[in-house]
């Protein structure tokens, strides 16, 4: 048995550990704390410990499990809440009370619960990695597909229908002359990505119901997003909104080194929120990983790998997954802290030199993929990573390394947040490289002229920022009427379209159809105003038109009333403008 | 567990900075507390920083003056830092190690480890009870709820102590009569400031429901690292064992972080930004995250840490890391202070993340969210116009813009500004908000619901 020789915070040295291999999970000390071997020199292994090491002393035992850090995959993951190393927090609570004590272990998947399994293959069928053997209705929303684990193939020897626990045999697989029992549960080492047959270019947007995202900076299913922003700029609200409303099949939310009360908010609100499509509680498609900031730092490092491994497992079933990581900066800090304890040579700002590689490896696990399966199923993982740059300055290493590998950038802006413009995504600095790939989809599924409306709106916003510099010099009143109209329309886009309240029952989700109608109303109003001004009207007169008042109430319209509301709005706009322009014509004659 | 604590090790081989290297120690445990006995009879306290077979590295709390490698001895306590807690602590004053410094008898009670385990996120209850502080800018715009951690971002020369004392005095949950207490932890503050708080607590009689932990600026800076943890351990005992609602005020977190940096540099660790250790975020979170509410327990811990931003710089690592952990912040502004406004709270950079859970019908009032958003956007517009009019002159502004300009002025003079003893109810605050908004045209009210305008609005019809 191994023995501890040195303790320094979360990093300990142990000697004579049996069969010590890199990244083996070990149990440390009399309390049996969970740790992982991260360096071997001679017969001394360095271990990062996932729990607080206070009170641990040299001479205490170390036991090697001889397994890498792994997750358990199978029915029961959905609706669960885990810590960074996949210990179920609800079970820990029954074991140790309201505070997490050390050295606890609990299986990630409930070993007693029976699941009703329906086979989809029969005796004698040839199966290989990824073949769907059968199904389990995991929650009302999701059918769990029980698959042949990666790297296994053979002939089905037997398979049975009925109620089983995750580790009971549901059948037998004959492979290479051996008989292997089939179970619903499989395990997977978290640091390794699950292989796919290939990746495809993303073609479909992830619809989030958030106007600034869907209309201006969309992300494709299988895409990657970086959300950097200083504190208080609404990163977490954006992440929460996405996990509530995004049209992915499954959401994995990794609270990595963030606030405990935020996880509680998800735990209390998600079971009450209903999925807009199915009307079932959102919790039924959600897996939560909660490693709050005060929980051990090494487990924080592991938490995003735990999350992505679970996401990959569901992707392999053919589902679309959205994974939110809040925040990758805390993960990077955990990496830095451990690297410091290992006395590695620091790179930029004390982060280890391999920070960039680790980040890109993580983001590379996203994508729209052909998963390993005989019928070449498709599934996707969309990765949304929040970044918390110190002082909001994104020139720091974590933001920069993230921006290099992500294709969408939602720039959260503190000055927008401080005036309560939410979501505070800056429309001038943000970008989406999927925009062009997705134009065909939008033209086909939303409206033919979607791209035209979008481009017009963006150019108005761009124009506004130029005009504002002029206003700073000469004052608003000195502007020509035409320019005043541009400012007026830009303000409407900002206030009546981009601003969206996450806390309002109706406004929290906005369908693509409604988004299109809203933006179109404003853009068309802009065109009309321009024409009216050409005919000699001034902004004072235009601002008195009654139909304009309706635009500021567009957000409050229920989805059911969208068509009738906008039909009447557009009619009113037509009649308002024909009146003032007709009046001008009469006066001119 | 205890292995021969009576043995004194006289085997110090090296003293560097605040670190002692002790040899021939069988096996010291990590983070264990030690007592260091000097030749002249003095004793100091230290903690095991690193332990190897036969060797321990000890961090001394306080100075190493007078220590040597021949006569100084070290005694290992066999346990990590623990304090004794009981409800007799109320009304008493302690140092950072929770030893009484008010001349009273020591506390006897349960011994508790000061490094508390993390609350299981699954056990947390969502904070949702509105705390009325009587301060309009907090209650109306950045509502505090029970179980929240809401720091005051201040700077030297600003009245954060007055504000903290006023909040401690006025804070209550409306319509409920529950046992409430204040735990006050002072780290490295001046004795004048300490006296101010003691007097404030004594004058108002609040001392009987307060526990004070004091470490003044001349006390060892290492004690500042222990103090907030001792204070929170006492708070947790009172909250979760005695079912009290505890308001923890920690002042000044900047001094705490300075102490952390001092220790880190003595340990020769790789420094992060501005010399602060890379683990400062994690370290601060183990203090701030001890705020909260737990399902099925009656008590709660609400935290108001105070920090003075060096150079009024919000991006300095101390306010920056704090802001990433806490649920919002109350920002104080020197400009408002110069204009004679008390409390000089600038609402624009302030935020309460848990506000939404604490307001609305049955908690405060149905129009709260709308009024607050409307006041925010109107004040932001007014302030923008103020800087614009400084360049182009007020005459160049449109008619509505002039109204916004006047609104910003009256908002600061009447809504932000209030007396040091003025305790406004939430209704008074919201009604005052409507009154000020009525100086703007009614059609500008885009953030409030139409029926709320009709019900609470003060426009003449």
């Amino acid at each position: 048995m191994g023995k501890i020789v040195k303790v320094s915070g979360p990093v300990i040295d142990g000697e004579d550990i049996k069969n010590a291999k890199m990244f083996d999970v070990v149990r440390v000390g009399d309390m049996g704390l969970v740790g992982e071997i991260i360096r071997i020199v001679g017969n001394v292994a360095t271990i990062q410990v996932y729990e607080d090491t206070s009170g641990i002393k040299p001479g205490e035992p170390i036991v090697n499990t001889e397994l890498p850090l792994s997750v358990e995959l199978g029915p029961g993951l959905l609706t669960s809440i885990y810590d960074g190393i996949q210990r179920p927090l609800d079970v820990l609570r029954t074991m140790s009370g309201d505070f997490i004590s050390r050295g606890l272990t609990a299986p990630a998947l409930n070993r007693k619960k029976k699941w009703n399994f329906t086979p989809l293959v029969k005796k004698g069928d040839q199966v290989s990695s990824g073949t769907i053997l059968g199904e389990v209705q995991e929650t009302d929303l999701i059918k769990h597909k029980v698959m042949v684990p990666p790297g296994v193939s053979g002939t089905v020897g037997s398979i049975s229908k009925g109620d089983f626990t995750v580790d009971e045999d549901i059948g037998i697989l004959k492979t290479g002359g051996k008989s292997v029992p089939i179970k619903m549960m499989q395990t997977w080492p978290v640091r390794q990505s699950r292989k796919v047959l290939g990746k495809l270019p993303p073609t479909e947007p992830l619809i989030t119901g958030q106007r600034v995202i869907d209309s201006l900076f969309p992300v494709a299913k299988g895409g990657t997003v970086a959300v950097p922003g200083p504190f208080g700029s609404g990163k977490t609200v954006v992440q929460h909104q996405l996990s509530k409303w995004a049209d992915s099949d499954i959401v994995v939310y990794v609270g990595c080194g963030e606030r405990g009360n935020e996880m509680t908010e998800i735990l209390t609100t998600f079971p009450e929120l209903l999925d807009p499509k199915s009307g079932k509680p959102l919790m039924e498609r959600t897996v939560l990983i909660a490693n709050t900031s005060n929980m051990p730092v090494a487990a924080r490092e592991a938490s995003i790998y735990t999350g992505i491994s679970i996401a990959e497992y569901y992707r392999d079933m053919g589902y679309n997954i959205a994974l939110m990581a809040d925040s990758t900066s805390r993960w990077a800090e955990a990496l830095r802290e451990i690297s410091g304890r290992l006395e590695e040579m620091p790179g930029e700002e004390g982060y280890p030199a391999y920070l960039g590689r680790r980040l890109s490896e993580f983001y590379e696990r996203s994508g729209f993929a052909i998963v390993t399966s005989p019928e070449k199923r498709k599934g996707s993982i969309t990765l949304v990573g929040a970044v918390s740059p110190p002082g909001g300055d994104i020139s720091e290493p974590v933001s920069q390394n993230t921006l290099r590998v992500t294709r969408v950038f939602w720039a959260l802006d503190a000055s927008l947040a401080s005036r309560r413009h939410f979501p505070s995504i800056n429309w001038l600095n943000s970008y989406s490289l999927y925009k062009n790939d997705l134009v065909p989809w939008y033209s086909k599924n939303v409206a033919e002229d979607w791209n035209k409306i979008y481009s017009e709106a963006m150019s108005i916003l761009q124009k506004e920022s130029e005009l504002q510099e002029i206003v700073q010099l000469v004052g608003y009143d000195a502007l020509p009427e035409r320019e005043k109209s541009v400012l007026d329309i830009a303000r409407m886009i900002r206030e009546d379209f981009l601003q969206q309240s996450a806390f309002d029952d109706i406004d929290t989700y906005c369908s693509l159809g409604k988004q299109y109608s809203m933006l179109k109303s404003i853009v068309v109003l802009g065109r009309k105003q321009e024409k009216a001004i050409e005919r000699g009207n001034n902004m004072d007169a235009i601002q008195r038109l009654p139909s304009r008042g309706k635009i500021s109430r567009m957000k409050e319209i229920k989805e059911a009333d969208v068509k009738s509301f906008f039909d009447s709005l557009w009619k009113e706009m037509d009649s308002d403008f024909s009146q003032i322009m007709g009046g001008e014509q009469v006066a001119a004659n | 567990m205890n292995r021969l604590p009576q043995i004194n090790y006289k085997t110090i081989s090296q003293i560097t900075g605040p670190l002692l290297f002790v040899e021939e120690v069988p096996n010291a445990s990590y983070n264990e507390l030690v007592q260091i006995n000097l030749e002249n009879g003095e004793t100091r306290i230290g903690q095991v920083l690193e332990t190897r077979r036969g060797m321990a590295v000890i961090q001394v709390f306080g100075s190493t003056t007078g220590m040597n490698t021949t006569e100084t001895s070290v005694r290992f306590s066999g346990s990590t830092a623990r304090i004794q807690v009981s409800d007799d602590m109320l009304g008493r004053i302690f140092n950072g190690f929770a030893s009484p410094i008010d001349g009273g008898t020591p506390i006897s009670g349960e011994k508790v480890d000061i490094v508390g385990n993390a609350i299981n996120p699954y056990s947390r209850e969502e904070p949702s009870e509105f705390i009325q502080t009587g301060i309009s800018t907090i209650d109306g715009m950045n509502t505090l709820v029970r179980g929240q951690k809401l720091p005051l971002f201040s700077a030297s020369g600003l009245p954060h102590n007055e504000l903290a004392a006023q909040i401690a005095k006025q804070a209550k949950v409306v319509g409920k009569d529950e046992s409430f207490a204040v735990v006050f932890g002072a780290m490295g503050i001046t004795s004048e400031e300490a006296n101010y708080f003691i007097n404030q607590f004594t004058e108002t009689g609040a001392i009987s429901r307060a526990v004070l932990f004091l470490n003044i600026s001349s006390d060892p800076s290492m004690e500042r690292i222990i103090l907030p943890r001792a204070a929170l351990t006492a708070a947790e005992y009172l909250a979760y064992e005695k079912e009290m609602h505890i308001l923890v005020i920690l002042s000044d977190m900047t001094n705490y972080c300075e102490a952390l940096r001092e220790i880190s540099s003595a340990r020769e660790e790789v420094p992060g930004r501005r010399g602060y250790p890379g683990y400062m975020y994690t370290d601060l979170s183990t203090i701030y995250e001890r705020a909260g509410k737990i399902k099925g327990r009656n008590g709660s811990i609400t935290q108001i840490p105070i920090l003075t931003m060096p150079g009024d710089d919000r991006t300095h690592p101390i306010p920056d890391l704090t802001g990433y952990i806490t649920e919002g912040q109350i920002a104080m502004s020197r400009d408002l202070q110069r204009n004679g406004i008390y409390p000089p709270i600038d609402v624009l950079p302030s935020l309460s993340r848990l506000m939404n859970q604490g307001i609305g019908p049955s908690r405060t009032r149905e129009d709260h969210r709308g009024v607050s958003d409307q006041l925010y956007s109107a004040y932001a517009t007014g302030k923008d116009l103020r800087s614009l009019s400084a360049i182009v002159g007020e005459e160049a502004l449109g008619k509505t813009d002039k109204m916004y300009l006047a609104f910003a002025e009256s908002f600061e003079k009447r809504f932000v500004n209030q007396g040091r003893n003025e305790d406004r109810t939430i209704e008074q605050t919201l009604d005052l908000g409507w009154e000020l908004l009525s100086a703007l045209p009614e059609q500008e009210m885009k953030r409030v619901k139409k029926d709320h305008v009709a019900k609470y609005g003060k426009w003449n019809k």
Side-chain angles (χ1 to χ4, degrees), chain A residues 204-404:
Chain A
E204 226 184 276
L206 181 78
I207 297 162
T208 64
Q210 311 303 305
R211 289 188 288 268
V212 60
I213 295 174
D214 290 350
S215 296
L216 265 49
F217 309 108
V219 54
K221 287 200 173 93
T224 48
V225 189
V227 198
F231 63 86
S233 59
K235 278 188 300 299
T236 303
V237 178
V238 168
Q239 296 259 28
H240 282 197
Q241 284 299 91
L242 287 188
S243 38
K244 281 175 192 167
W245 306 122
D247 69 337
S248 59
D249 302 308
I250 286 163
V251 169
V252 179
Y253 193 98
V254 186
C256 172
E258 288 288 312
R259 304 172 182 90
N261 280 335
E262 274 169 7
M263 297 314 294
T264 313
E265 195 192 324
I266 298 185
L267 277 174
T268 44
T269 53
F270 274 38
E272 289 162 20
L273 286 169
L274 301 182
D275 177 49
K277 276 177 300 182
S278 62
K280 301 278 194 254
L282 284 173
M283 202 60 204
E284 305 216 328
R285 61 161 200 182
T286 309
V287 185
L288 293 176
I289 316 281
N291 213 83
T292 57
S293 52
N294 57 337
M295 285 158 78
V297 67
R300 191 195 301 167
E301 194 266 330
S303 66
I304 68 166
Y305 296 111
T306 301
I308 192 90
S309 301
I310 293 173
E312 283 178 335
Y313 174 64
Y314 280 101
R315 176 206 59 200
D316 287 354
M317 293 179 202
Y319 286 118
N320 294 311
I321 324 294
L323 183 136
M324 318 291 156
D326 187 12
S327 137
T328 55
S329 293
R330 306 298 163 227
W331 167 82
E333 279 166 14
L335 210 62
R336 173 168 72 183
E337 184 171 343
I338 290 156
S339 163
R341 303 266 183 189
L342 292 175
E343 294 169 3
E344 292 172 339
M345 181 74 79
E348 227 179 322
E349 289 193 19
Y351 288 105
Y354 48 80
L355 170 73
R357 176 176 58 83
R358 291 283 205 95
L359 266 171
S360 56
E361 274 170 5
F362 169 65
Y363 281 101
E364 198 51 41
R365 289 173 81 168
S366 69
F368 178 38
I370 307 172
V371 300
T372 314
S373 59
E375 79 272 25
K376 301 197 166 37
R377 278 193 304 274
K378 288 172 191 164
S380 73
I381 298 177
T382 312
L383 251 178
V384 183
V387 185
S388 320
D393 172 14
I394 60 161
S395 65
E396 54 90 41
V398 183
S399 306
Q400 285 304 312
N401 280 307
T402 306
L403 286 177
R404 270 213 296 278

Side-chain angles (χ1 to χ4, degrees), chain B residues 79-93:
Chain B
S79 75
T80 49
R82 293 192 294 178
I83 64 165
Q84 291 191 306
V85 289
S86 90
D87 41 8
D88 296 336
M89 294 181 104
L90 288 167
R92 303 286 306 273
I93 305 174

Side-chain angles (χ1 to χ4, degrees), chain A residues 7 15 54-55 257 389 419-420, chain B residues 30-31 51 53 281 324 376 384:
Chain A
V7 186
E15 62 176 16
S54 291
R419 59 179 60 220
R420 299 305 186 258
Chain B
Y30 178 66
N31 269 349
T51 165
R53 247 186 327 212
Y281 175 84
Y324 276 122
Y376 257 112
D384 278 356

Side-chain angles (χ1 to χ4, degrees), chain A residues 473-544:
Chain A
L473 295 173
V474 299
Y476 174 79
D477 273 357
L479 287 183
E481 294 297 309
R482 233 180 106 97
E483 261 74 59
K484 280 186 188 166
S485 168
V486 171
L487 287 182
D488 177 60
I489 296 296
R491 183 174 167 208
M492 280 190 178
I493 298 179
R494 283 189 285 113
E495 292 184 359
D496 301 325
F497 183 75
L498 295 180
Q499 273 182 20
Q500 186 171 3
S501 169
F503 305 116
D504 184 90
D505 292 342
I506 296 169
D507 204 26
T508 183
Y509 179 85
C510 184
S511 69
L512 281 183
K514 185 177 166 189
Q515 295 187 21
Y516 166 73
S517 301
M518 287 174 79
L519 193 58
K520 184 169 177 172
S521 306
I522 300 174
V523 168
V524 167
L525 179 72
R527 293 179 194 158
K528 284 185 189 297
Q529 288 193 174
E530 199 175 321
K531 276 221 181 82
I533 288 166
E534 272 171 25
R535 300 279 180 87
N537 287 287
N538 62 18
M539 278 307 288
D540 279 349
I542 292 172
Q543 267 163 347
R544 279 196 294 272

